[in-house]
């Protein structure tokens, strides 16, 4: 597999073409951003840990029968994935109230709602990634109602698999963000990363935050927290 030109550079990743038009290489960087780019930093080794964590989580999802873009981890920073066209919707799953939901609705962080909540946000930095509903997503031409039905069903299944997985290593999956993409033959599959950058993960015993909120809220020990997630997930692979 030969790495070719840089196709896209995001806040935490680079995407490279390869000599196979159906495959790309995703490189995980050490940069972190929050609050729509207002806060920025380099966190040494974050990319290495996120690549490892994301690869482990994707392997578990694939084993549970979820169709994803993940093919294999190539080295410390790179993974080989199927090329997709990303649907510009952030699908956010909330098992416990935290972050913007707590702020927006005046709910206390840590409250467990009676039902799982799925939010959709339109991926548009210039608009601040606004919250949208199904009708907006269809009106914007991003997806059809039928496709949304499939996306919701897969998202709920992903939540079940990941919640059970983190439970085994004494971590509460509070919330997370996922993205989907279309393959060249039109199939919608899970894409992008799954890591402490995109999930809220709380230690079940101590309640300690082991995710990007340590960066967002200046709690310190960011890389130690990501390392802890990596170590605990590795235990499941032994
Ligand atoms: P929020 O509380 O900021 O809405 O975030 C909910 C979850 O989704 C949290 O785990 C962080 C994740 N997320 C991202 O990874 N990227 C994003 O752009 C947003 C808005 C949320």
């Amino acid at each position: 597999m030969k790495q070719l030109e840089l196709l896209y550079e995001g806040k935490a990743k680079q995407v490279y073409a390869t000599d196979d038009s159906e495959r790309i290489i995703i490189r995980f960087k050490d940069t972190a951003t929050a609050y729509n780019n207002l806060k920025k930093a380099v966190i040494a080794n974050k990319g290495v840990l996120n690549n490892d964590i994301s690869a482990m989580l994707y392997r578990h999802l694939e084993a549970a029968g979820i169709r994803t873009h993940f093919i294999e981890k190539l080295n410390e920073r790179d993974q080989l994935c199927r090329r997709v066209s990303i649907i510009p919707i952030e699908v956010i799953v909330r098992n416990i109230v935290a972050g913007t939901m707590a702020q927006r609705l005046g709910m206390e962080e840590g409250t467990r709602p009676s039902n799982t909540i799925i939010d959709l946000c339109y991926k548009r930095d210039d608009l601040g990634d606004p919250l949208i509903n199904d009708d907006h997503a269809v009106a914007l031409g991003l997806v059809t109602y039928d496709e949304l039905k499939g996306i919701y069903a897969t998202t709920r299944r992903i939540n079940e698999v990941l919640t059970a997985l983190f439970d085994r290593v004494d971590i509460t999956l509070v919330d997370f963000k996922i993205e989907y993409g279309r393959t060249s033959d039109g199939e919608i599959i899970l894409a992008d990363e799954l890591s402490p950058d995109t999930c809220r993960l709380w230690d079940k015993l101590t309640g300690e935050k082991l995710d990007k909120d340590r960066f967002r809220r200046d709690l310190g020990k960011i890389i130690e927290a990501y390392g802890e997630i990596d170590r605990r997930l590795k235990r499941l692979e032994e």
Side-chain angles (χ1 to χ4, degrees):
M1 184 66 50
K2 213 166 113 199
Q3 180 184 310
L4 299 178
E5 79 277 10
L6 179 69
L7 293 173
Y8 163 84
E9 175 134 24
K11 293 166 198 152
K13 289 182 297 289
Q14 292 170 326
V15 178
Y16 290 90
T18 70
D19 50 0
D20 179 340
S21 64
E22 294 291 326
R23 292 173 175 210
I24 51 156
I25 290 172
I26 298 183
R27 174 159 306 155
F28 287 73
K29 304 193 293 183
D30 285 343
T31 42
T33 65
Y35 308 119
N36 205 11
N37 264 331
L38 285 175
K39 192 176 164 98
K40 291 182 194 176
V42 173
I43 302 167
N45 216 41
K46 178 176 79 82
V48 172
L49 289 168
N50 278 356
N51 184 25
D52 203 44
I53 292 166
S54 198
M56 283 191 276
L57 294 176
Y58 266 94
R59 277 188 222 113
H60 283 284
L61 289 172
E62 284 276 341
I66 312 255
R67 302 272 293 149
T68 83
H69 74 155
F70 181 77
I71 299 171
E72 62 174 332
K73 184 180 165 192
L74 295 173
N75 56 50
E76 271 204 328
R77 289 203 179 255
D78 300 334
Q79 51 183 253
L80 186 66
C81 293
R82 291 180 67 187
R83 188 172 191 159
V84 296
S85 162
I86 291 284
I87 299 170
I89 297 176
E90 295 186 331
V91 181
I92 295 175
V93 181
R94 301 178 188 276
N95 296 310
I96 292 188
V97 175
T100 60
M101 181 174 171
Q103 285 164 11
R104 205 174 47 243
L105 302 182
M107 295 174 85
E108 194 174 342
E109 188 158 275
T111 313
R112 184 179 282 278
S114 56
N115 50 310
T116 300
I117 291 141
I118 301 183
D119 285 337
L120 305 182
C121 293
Y122 183 25
K123 246 171 89 91
R124 275 278 301 263
D125 275 349
D126 58 329
L127 299 177
D129 296 340
L131 192 62
I132 56 171
N133 65 22
D134 293 12
D135 297 327
H136 297 140
V138 173
L140 283 163
L142 308 178
V143 277
T144 64
Y145 284 110
D146 244 22
E147 286 173 339
L148 270 178
K149 223 166 128 185
I151 285 173
Y152 279 120
T154 306
T155 299
R156 287 188 191 282
R157 179 78 189 118
I158 290 168
N159 187 36
E160 279 169 14
V161 173
L162 293 182
T163 296
L165 189 74
F166 280 114
D167 201 48
R168 287 169 60 200
V169 292
D170 295 320
I171 286 168
T172 304
L173 178 59
V174 173
D175 59 26
F176 61 96
K177 185 267 305 180
I178 49 178
E179 295 179 22
Y180 289 90
R182 287 193 179 83
T183 63
S184 59
D185 47 19
E187 191 189 1
I188 293 181
I189 59 175
L190 182 69
D192 199 41
E193 73 178 284
L194 269 170
S195 74
D197 271 8
T198 62
C199 304
R200 282 196 175 90
L201 303 164
W202 294 353
D203 185 287
K204 266 192 196 289
L205 289 173
T206 64
E208 194 183 3
K209 297 182 192 335
L210 299 172
D211 56 64
K212 195 172 160 186
D213 271 348
R214 301 206 72 83
F215 168 66
R216 293 187 193 97
R217 303 180 187 187
D218 294 321
L219 301 174
K221 295 198 172 167
I222 305 168
I223 211 65
E224 288 84 349
Y226 283 47
E228 180 65 22
I229 297 294
D230 191 52
R231 261 192 304 282
R232 290 199 202 179
L233 289 174
K234 272 207 175 87
R235 286 208 309 245
L236 296 177
E237 312 237 311
E238 284 160 9

